[in-house]
Amino acid sequence: MNNDINKALEVLKSGGVILYPTDTIWGIGCDATNADAVKRVYEIKQREDCKAMLVLMENPNRLNSYVDEVPEIAWDLIEANDKPMTLIYPGAKNLAPNLINSDGTIGIRISNEEFTQNLIQRFKKPIVSTSANISGDPSPANFSEINEELKGLVDYVVEYKQDDFEKASASSIIKIGVGGEIQILRK
């Protein structure tokens, strides 16, 4: 795993794009603060840049660096949650402008997966995470279901967990309003 992390770090630091395992499904990722890298992810996915992508962090303590004000309910949800959950926060900041939704929100998930946590911790910045598929195609449940063409479009394909055939599923998605109101978008 360390060799994979070192190679992925090198690619992320140079503005490249990786294909990597997350705490849910395999993802396409890049430096979430690099607008050119984010643009390339949209191009690889053949996705309109107005369609949201989320970012992964390894620690909720970093949220204040990327969100103006973390609503109190967010801390309660993070603490109580026992499965992957993406929270959509108002007031995104310090991220690539083409990653922030037109309403100023950003989806953030705190990853509990060992590889991703170590990668983000060493990178010291959040990374983009979007399903490893061409926009409109089904999301792959494991590495073996990822389109071969897509694998050739990224700069590095992580080897860790390629032989894991367990079917993964996407995270729940909850949108949090400025006043702490919540809206469940996906269970």
Side-chain angles (χ1 to χ4, degrees), residues 139-185:
S139 297
N142 55 49
F143 183 79
S144 67
E145 294 182 8
I146 298 172
N147 178 306
E148 289 301 318
E149 179 187 345
L150 188 133
K151 291 176 189 175
L153 296 174
V154 300
D155 301 305
Y156 183 66
V157 178
V158 171
E159 293 178 18
Y160 180 71
K161 285 198 172 181
Q162 284 187 15
D163 57 356
D164 182 351
F165 296 101
E166 188 175 318
K167 298 277 185 189
S169 56
S171 70
S172 59
I173 301 176
I174 300 173
K175 186 173 185 175
I176 303 174
V178 178
E181 60 277 2
I182 62 171
Q183 178 183 9
I184 298 172
L185 302 179

Side-chain angles (χ1 to χ4, degrees), residues 15 83 88 111 116 126 182:
K83 68 175 200 150
I88 299 175
S111 177
T116 309
I182 62 171

Side-chain angles (χ1 to χ4, degrees), residues 57-161:
M57 293 182 192
E58 86 290 8
N59 187 325
N61 295 332
R62 298 177 96 184
L63 284 168
N64 288 318
S65 296
Y66 300 98
V67 177
D68 280 335
E69 186 177 328
V70 179
E72 197 59 43
I73 189 74
W75 300 114
D76 296 337
L77 289 168
I78 292 167
E79 188 176 314
N81 198 48
D82 60 350
K83 68 175 200 150
M85 173 186 61
T86 300
L87 295 178
I88 299 175
Y89 297 89
K93 64 181 183 181
N94 301 323
L95 295 165
N98 54 343
L99 189 57
I100 298 171
N101 295 316
S102 60
D103 64 357
T105 61
I106 187 68
I108 299 174
R109 186 168 75 244
I110 307 301
S111 177
N112 291 320
E113 195 278 324
E114 182 182 16
F115 175 87
T116 309
Q117 274 195 326
N118 287 323
L119 176 64
I120 299 167
Q121 185 175 28
R122 289 186 51 199
F123 187 52
K124 297 181 174 52
K125 293 188 234 179
I127 58 176
V128 168
S129 182
T130 183
S131 56
N133 62 331
I134 303 297
S135 191
D137 289 352
S139 297
N142 55 49
F143 183 79
S144 67
E145 294 182 8
I146 298 172
N147 178 306
E148 289 301 318
E149 179 187 345
L150 188 133
K151 291 176 189 175
L153 296 174
V154 300
D155 301 305
Y156 183 66
V157 178
V158 171
E159 293 178 18
Y160 180 71
K161 285 198 172 181

